[in-house]
């Protein structure tokens, strides 16, 4: 039967006849919209005829739910759908209890066309051809085979029910194998009709018409002229997550109620085939919209409950990971946004655990050697790339604050204290972070703790010297330093260590070359200080170095105490930093003030010290990091955020001034209209200077006359926090920051560490687990773990107070802080230092060696040990 479609859409042809050559582009856009609208309506008629609307009381004779319509074959339904479209027949509204699939018009059609069609699409014929044959067009639109080419929740339920009734699961196995091995079939499965409003988008009235098409709206579209390009975009391209994830989860829950042995092999083999298809197609797909089906595929695959166990873990998941390494940045960003949405974040932890399980398995079973490192294992590296998507999704799903570029703060610092461009390293910008417009500093609280992204077995297996070489290589080799979220802080510290040591060796080579040229220079950064004048001596020498040649700060530090013997192999430097910190951060010195509630130190805004003094303190802090020394400082977290380029904000007050934070938060949470009478606060605050005198400050012009109200209380809180954390100490912090950057500006510090990890790097761990220290301690000179004096030693140590334990660490290692990774990282060595004697124990702090005589009794051991650790400064430590 031939149908005159020109009569069905009379105004379409009339508009085309009347269009002038100057409006061809507009007509083309209209034609594209009409094609999309026609596709959508024909699909809706087809599903109405085959599946119904879902309303059990439907009275539409052209709807399968009414009970009046005899079952139709796909060919018959397609032909009748075309006829109903031309007749402007009644179209049911979708019922909420029905699993709708009309959102998938273009996806299903394009998929089936790719597999079955060799002629033009049915919709082009409908809109642009004067006539056509229903039978041929129906074959183009729909697959004539009775096999399923895609899955929905209901289809899977029906197949399972049928298989259980027949006690044969061949149809289920065949369907899973056919759908899950094909990109197009799987991409068209489990699609939703209306996507959740995950992104805040505004659509114009024309776009809304496309999203909610009905027959009348198709007619109204014919008369619309000035359309945006976006109004022609089909709903599947506007939607963020066309896959109905809750439906996928319900479907998989029903499937995995069966014995997995029934379908596991078929599904695993299908995933392997799917991965093969992805590996072939993905490298050639560069267009953003051309990978949307891949997004659907991965969303469905990663919802498989058993993906982290059995053959799925050993075969299926590795294959998918290998294929996913070809994903474009735009597709990665879309996945991150979907997984960060309320419906997507439900699966974040399970997907992360599955990928971590895969990495752990590969680390355990793979034999790594000098020619095959962990960075060469493709499954591990590709799984790590996928975890990066989850990492950013985790931040997006958490508590975020307004974005702020790292240059925003650095720019103002450079204006006051310019740093030569030659000293600045180009910061690494992750492409996915750039695409999403997010930085770890934007995330105040992630959805999952960042610690869940660490993989300890992988971290232990990574050879950081090799990884650092890959990081520096220009050959594009994989480096975990570009994926630092998966490495533990202790492992990342090794990356920082290799960077600093290479720079130190480089400075030594330069010194040797200069010596050959007749201009010798010291290959070390040598400081000679008096113990009683340590601050004055150190600051004067550092100031001279900073002025003459800042690059000398990159040299290895060597400290000498005047009048004392000892070669600095690290231990003397540790003591030097400890003494400097104790004095300079003492509130009596006047450069920093102590917050009584939290015992943290902060810049003294009314300090009499010059900016140069704060610059030199920044240098000291940078040198400690550069020389791998842990300091006993207690800064609030906001300082480390500021060092990474983020200005302090209201939430930062929680750590450094909790009393004020709680008061301001109480104001923000107060909703009654009498806020002015209750709080009686204006935009004016007061604080005390070093002499205890009150100083008034207006947060904005005429602040004394502006009352804090419900309307402006958020502005008041923001201005208050900004003043305390930024403006009040702007000069002091900028000077401090300049000194810090003079040492670490070229290091990968900001790349590797989050603010919390930088605090751990500088201050060490707060957990004093001496059981770990005992397990990791080695023995020399005739001692062993079974020696009686060693048993007595550990019995005494475990009974010490925390303060005495710190003294013991100070005595044996030169620092009373616990390094990142715990006390097991210290590698303490206890060596026999002769037979019983009255001598006190001594220590080589450079090498963490305790020289312990073999005392005749436990009491004598305790007496000599306590005396040694109590009076150790400048004595007993070499």
């Amino acid at each position: 039967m031939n149908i005159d479609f020109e009569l069905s859409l009379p105004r379409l042809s009339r508009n085309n006849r009347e269009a002038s050559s100057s409006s061809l582009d507009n007509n083309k856009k209209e034609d594209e919209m009409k094609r999309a609208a026609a596709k959508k309506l024909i699909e809706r008629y087809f599903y109405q005829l085959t599946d119904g609307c879902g309303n059990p009381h439907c009275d539409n004779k052209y709807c399968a739910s009414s009970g009046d319509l005899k079952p139709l074959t796909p060919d018959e339904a397609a032909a009748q759908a075309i006829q109903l479209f031309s007749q402007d027949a009644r179209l049911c509204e979708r019922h909420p209890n029905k699993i709708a699939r009309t959102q998938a018009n273009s996806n299903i059609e394009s998929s089936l066309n790719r597999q079955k069609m060799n002629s033009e699409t049915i919709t082009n014929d409908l809109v642009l051809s004067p006539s056509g044959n229903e039978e041929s067009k129906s074959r183009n639109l729909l697959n004539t085979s009775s096999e399923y080419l895609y899955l929905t929740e209901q289809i899977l339920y029906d197949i399972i029910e049928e298989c259980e009734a027949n006690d044969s699961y061949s149809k289920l196995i065949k369907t899973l194998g056919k759908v899950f091995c094909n990109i197009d079939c799987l991409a068209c499965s489990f699609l939703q009709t209306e996507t959740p409003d995950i992104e805040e988008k505004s659509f114009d009235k024309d776009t809304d018409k496309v999203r909610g098409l009905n027959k009348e709206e198709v007619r109204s579209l014919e008369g619309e002229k000035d359309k945006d390009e976006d109004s022609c975009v089909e709903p599947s391209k506007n939607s963020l997550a066309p896959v109905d994830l809750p439906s996928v989860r319900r479907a998989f829950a029903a499937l995995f109620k069966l014995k997995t042995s029934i379908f596991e092999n078929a599904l695993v083999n299908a995933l392997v085939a799917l991965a093969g298809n992805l590996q072939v197609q993905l490298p050639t797909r560069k267009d953003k919209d051309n990978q949307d089906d891949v997004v659907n595929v991965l969303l469905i695959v990663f919802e498989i409950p058993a993906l982290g166990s059995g053959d799925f873990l050993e075969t299926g998941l590795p294959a998918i990971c290998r294929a996913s390494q070809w994903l474009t940045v735009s597709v990665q960003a879309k996945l991150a946004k979907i997984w960060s949405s309320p419906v997507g974040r439900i699966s974040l932890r399970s997907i992360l655990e599955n990928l971590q399980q895969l990495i752990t398995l590969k680390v355990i079973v793979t034999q790594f050697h000098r020619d095959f490192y962990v960075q060469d294992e493709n499954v591990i590296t590709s799984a790590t790339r996928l975890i990066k998507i989850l990492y950013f999704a985790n931040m997006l799903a958490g508590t975020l604050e307004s974005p702020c570029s790292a240059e925003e703060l650095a720019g103002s610092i450079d204006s006051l204290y310019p740093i030569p461009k030659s000293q600045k390293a180009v910061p690494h910008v992750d492409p996915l972070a750039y695409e999403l417009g997010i930085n770890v500093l934007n995330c105040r609280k992630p959805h999952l703790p960042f610690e869940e992204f660490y993989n300890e077995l992988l971290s232990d297996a990574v050879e950081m010297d090799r990884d650092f070489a890959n990081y520096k290589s220009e050959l594009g080799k994989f480096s975990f330093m570009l994926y630092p979220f998966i490495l533990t802080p202790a492992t990342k510290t090794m990356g920082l260590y290799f960077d600093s040591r290479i720079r130190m060796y480089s400075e030594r080579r330069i010194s040797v070359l200069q010596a050959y040229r007749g201009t010798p220079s010291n290959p070390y950064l040598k400081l000679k200080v008096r113990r009683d004048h340590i601050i004055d001596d150190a600051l004067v020498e550092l100031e001279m170095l900073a002025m003459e040649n800042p690059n000398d700060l990159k040299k290895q530090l060597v400290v000498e105490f005047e009048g004392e013997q000892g070669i600095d192999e690290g231990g003397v430097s540790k003591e030097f930093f400890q003494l400097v910190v104790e004095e300079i951060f003492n509130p009596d010195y006047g450069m920093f003030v102590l917050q009584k509630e939290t015992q943290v130190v902060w810049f003294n805004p009314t300090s009499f010290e010059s900016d140069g003094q704060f610059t030199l303190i920044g240098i000291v802090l940078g040198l400690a990091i550069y020389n791998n020394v842990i300091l006993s400082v207690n800064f609030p977290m906001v300082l480390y955020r500021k060092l990474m380029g983020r200005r302090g904000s209201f939430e930062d007050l929680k750590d450094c001034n909790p009393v004020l934070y709680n008061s301001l938060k109480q104001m923000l949470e107060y909703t009654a209209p009498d806020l002015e009478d209750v709080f009686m606060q204006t935009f004016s605050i007061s604080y005390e200077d070093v002499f205890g005198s009150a100083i008034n400050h207006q947060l904005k012009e005429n602040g004394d006359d502006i009352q804090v109200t419900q309307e402006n209380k958020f502005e008041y809180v923001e201005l208050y926090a900004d003043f305390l954390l930024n403006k009040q100490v702007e000069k002091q912090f900028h000077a401090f920051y300049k000194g810090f950057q003079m040492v670490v500006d070229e290091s990968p510090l900001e790349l590797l560490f989050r603010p919390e990890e930088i605090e751990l790097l500088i201050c060490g761990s707060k957990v004093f687990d001496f059981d770990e220290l005992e397990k990791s301690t080695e023995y020399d000179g005739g001692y062993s773990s079974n020696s009686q004096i060693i048993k007595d030693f550990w019995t005494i140590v475990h009974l010490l107070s925390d303060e005495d334990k710190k003294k013991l660490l100070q005595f044996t290692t030169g620092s009373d802080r616990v390094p990142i990774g715990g006390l097991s990282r210290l590698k303490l060595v206890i060596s026999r230092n002769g037979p019983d004697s009255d001598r006190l124990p001594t220590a080589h702090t450079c090498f963490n060696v305790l020289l312990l005589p073999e005392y005749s009794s436990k009491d004598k051991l305790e007496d000599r040990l306590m005396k040694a650790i109590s009076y150790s400064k400048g004595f007993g430590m070499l």
Side-chain angles (χ1 to χ4, degrees), residues 471-490:
Y471 166 69
K472 286 295 186 180
S473 172
E474 297 180 356
L475 301 178
K477 294 183 178 180
F478 185 92
S479 171
F480 286 103
M481 287 183 65
L482 297 177
Y483 301 83
F485 50 82
I486 201 169
L487 300 178
T488 61

Side-chain angles (χ1 to χ4, degrees), residues 789-801:
I789 188 172
I790 297 300
K791 293 180 180 179
D792 292 340
F793 173 83
W794 288 115
T795 301
I796 294 169
V797 168
H798 289 308
L799 294 176
L800 293 178
S801 65

